[in-house]
Amino acid sequence: MAPDSLAHLAQRLQAFADARDWGRFHSPKNLASALVVEAGELLEPFQWLTEAQSRELSPEAKDAVALEMADVLLYLLQLGNQLGVDVVAAGHRKVDINEGRFPSA
Amino acid sequence: MAPDSLAHLAQRLQAFADARDWGRFHSPKNLASALVVEAGELLEPFQWLTEAQSRELSPEAKDAVALEMADVLLYLLQLGNQLGVDVVAAGHRKVDINEGRFPSA
Amino acid sequence: MAPDSLAHLAQRLQAFADARDWGRFHSPKNLASALVVEAGELLEPFQWLTEAQSRELSPEAKDAVALEMADVLLYLLQLGNQLGVDVVAAGHRKVDINEGRFPSA
Amino acid sequence: MAPDSLAHLAQRLQAFADARDWGRFHSPKNLASALVVEAGELLEPFQWLTEAQSRELSPEAKDAVALEMADVLLYLLQLGNQLGVDVVAAGHRKVDINEGRFPSA
């Protein structure tokens, strides 16, 4: 497995939670709650920006946003770990569905 | 590139948006908004469940949840496309930070 | 009490939940989850609009938004009922704080 | 108008924004974004609590939650100001709808 792959990241998260005995907190209900909390934090730096400004973030702002994106991804992977869901496969399935729903010109 | 990889999924999304000329809608501000909307939809099936019930979803419920997880992932990748952020690398960086913050016993 | 007042609305919600024995579902944790789900639904119709378009909603769109705003308010009041919090008093207190934080010119 | 009423609170918010020339930031799109960000902050203290723990908050925790509830209410009222929506009337209308949808025993 490539050391920087998504599957490796999911494994790191499982080991991280196991080492701290956090499994009892990580019910799917709680992980979905934590995910939406992080999604709100991801939106926060954009809330008063114009769309144009949001396309021209400074490197510092972009870096902060990248770490908020990471938080969302980490909870998504942990939720996948708990539910036994392969989120990348689900993503491909959803794009298949969307291609049927929104035909291109 | 493996056809089911995350990088391939990000490329499919870029091609999908390009074919429909949706780039003008896909400002980072709008994508972050869409992501939190989907995160809310992901939480919705869990809101009245107990934590124990959330650990025992039926296959049908789990499948519906998987597609909501997919929606979150798709917006995360599209935001990464727009900002030039590698969200998996950001995820590994965030786990590094968390390992420093929360030492295991 | 004026029949259309906020206090009357909070009482209606309490009676509504009591008549259906929904108190066991209405833990503060669950009500806060339901509230953010509704807040996501409130954001949804705005996610692809420009700011200018969001200022020019049709009467039909505005009416749909009003009902999503109502859902947020109803969970806020039910959370207040459960926690014994007077949300209007808290609102005045928060404006007092904000006046100290953001002096006007 | 009673000095602690909701209508008075909505007026204070309008005067507060006017005095700071914040009207240009307060598009309905932006206010709905800010509202969901605050709703996420309101959920945050509950995310790892059990439902039982969420019913037994300390006075300090309850006070912090009250101020997060206030933030949600303030954006709801500001959105009502911008759209010309009476959120309490909308709330009563939604309870009427719910009474039809969920008959009590």
Side-chain angles (χ1 to χ4, degrees):
Chain A
M1 185 184 312
D4 59 350
S5 74
L6 195 69
H8 177 60
L9 185 53
Q11 285 188 349
R12 283 188 75 187
L13 289 166
Q14 188 64 57
F16 186 89
D18 288 349
R20 285 155 189 81
D21 194 20
W22 284 358
R24 69 213 139 104
F25 297 117
H26 285 188
S27 64
K29 179 185 177 85
N30 286 3
L31 291 169
S33 295
L35 192 152
V36 76
V37 169
E38 295 299 337
E41 292 184 14
L42 174 55
L43 180 57
E44 198 200 7
F46 295 111
Q47 65 189 341
W48 306 121
L49 297 189
T50 64
E51 288 187 64
Q53 288 169 330
S54 82
R55 294 182 192 268
E56 301 292 342
L57 296 186
S58 70
E60 293 73 22
K62 196 176 291 188
D63 194 63
V65 164
L67 288 176
E68 297 296 347
M69 292 171 68
D71 284 327
V72 172
L73 181 65
L74 299 189
Y75 284 120
L76 205 54
L77 292 174
Q78 289 176 93
L79 190 54
N81 282 345
Q82 289 297 317
L83 295 174
V85 164
D86 177 337
V87 68
V88 178
H92 278 286
R93 188 151 63 94
K94 190 60 194 276
V95 176
D96 293 341
I97 292 171
N98 286 345
E99 285 175 344
R101 255 188 218 163
F102 304 101
S104 61
Chain B
M1 185 185 312
D4 59 349
S5 74
L6 196 70
H8 177 60
L9 185 54
Q11 285 188 349
R12 284 187 76 187
L13 290 166
Q14 188 65 56
F16 186 90
D18 288 349
R20 284 154 189 81
D21 195 20
W22 283 358
R24 68 214 140 105
F25 297 117
H26 285 188
S27 64
K29 178 185 178 86
N30 286 2
L31 291 169
S33 295
L35 192 152
V36 76
V37 169
E38 295 299 338
E41 292 185 13
L42 173 56
L43 180 57
E44 197 200 7
F46 294 112
Q47 65 189 340
W48 306 122
L49 299 188
T50 64
E51 288 186 65
Q53 288 170 330
S54 82
R55 294 182 193 267
E56 300 293 341
L57 297 186
S58 69
E60 294 73 22
K62 197 176 291 188
D63 194 63
V65 165
L67 288 177
E68 297 296 347
M69 292 171 68
D71 284 326
V72 173
L73 181 64
L74 300 189
Y75 284 120
L76 205 53
L77 292 175
Q78 290 176 93
L79 190 55
N81 282 345
Q82 290 296 318
L83 295 174
V85 163
D86 178 337
V87 68
V88 178
H92 279 286
R93 187 151 63 95
K94 190 59 194 276
V95 177
D96 293 341
I97 292 171
N98 287 343
E99 286 175 343
R101 255 187 218 162
F102 304 100
S104 61
Chain C
M1 188 186 306
D4 60 349
S5 74
L6 196 70
H8 177 60
L9 185 54
Q11 285 189 350
R12 283 188 76 187
L13 290 166
Q14 188 64 57
F16 186 90
D18 288 349
R20 285 154 189 81
D21 195 20
W22 283 358
R24 68 215 140 103
F25 296 118
H26 284 188
S27 65
K29 178 184 176 86
N30 285 3
L31 291 169
S33 296
L35 192 153
V36 75
V37 169
E38 295 299 337
E41 292 185 13
L42 173 56
L43 180 57
E44 197 200 8
F46 294 110
Q47 67 189 340
W48 306 122
L49 299 188
T50 64
E51 287 187 64
Q53 288 169 330
S54 82
R55 293 183 192 267
E56 301 291 342
L57 296 186
S58 70
E60 292 73 23
K62 195 176 293 189
D63 195 62
V65 164
L67 287 177
E68 296 297 347
M69 292 171 68
D71 283 328
V72 173
L73 180 64
L74 300 189
Y75 284 120
L76 204 54
L77 292 175
Q78 289 175 94
L79 190 54
N81 282 343
Q82 289 297 318
L83 294 174
V85 163
D86 178 337
V87 68
V88 178
H92 279 286
R93 187 152 64 95
K94 190 60 193 279
V95 177
D96 292 341
I97 292 170
N98 286 344
E99 285 175 342
R101 254 188 219 163
F102 304 101
S104 61
Chain D
M1 188 185 308
D4 60 350
S5 75
L6 196 69
H8 178 59
L9 185 54
Q11 285 189 351
R12 284 188 75 187
L13 290 166
Q14 189 63 57
F16 186 90
D18 288 349
R20 286 153 189 81
D21 195 19
W22 283 358
R24 68 215 140 103
F25 296 117
H26 285 187
S27 65
K29 179 185 178 85
N30 285 2
L31 291 169
S33 296
L35 192 153
V36 76
V37 169
E38 295 299 338
E41 293 185 14
L42 173 56
L43 180 57
E44 198 201 7
F46 295 111
Q47 68 188 339
W48 306 122
L49 298 189
T50 64
E51 288 187 63
Q53 288 169 331
S54 82
R55 293 182 192 268
E56 301 292 342
L57 297 185
S58 69
E60 293 72 24
K62 195 176 293 189
D63 194 62
V65 165
L67 287 176
E68 296 296 348
M69 292 172 68
D71 284 327
V72 173
L73 180 65
L74 299 189
Y75 284 120
L76 203 54
L77 292 175
Q78 289 176 94
L79 190 53
N81 282 345
Q82 289 297 317
L83 294 174
V85 164
D86 177 337
V87 69
V88 178
H92 278 286
R93 188 151 63 95
K94 191 58 193 279
V95 177
D96 293 342
I97 292 170
N98 286 345
E99 285 175 343
R101 255 188 218 164
F102 304 101
S104 61

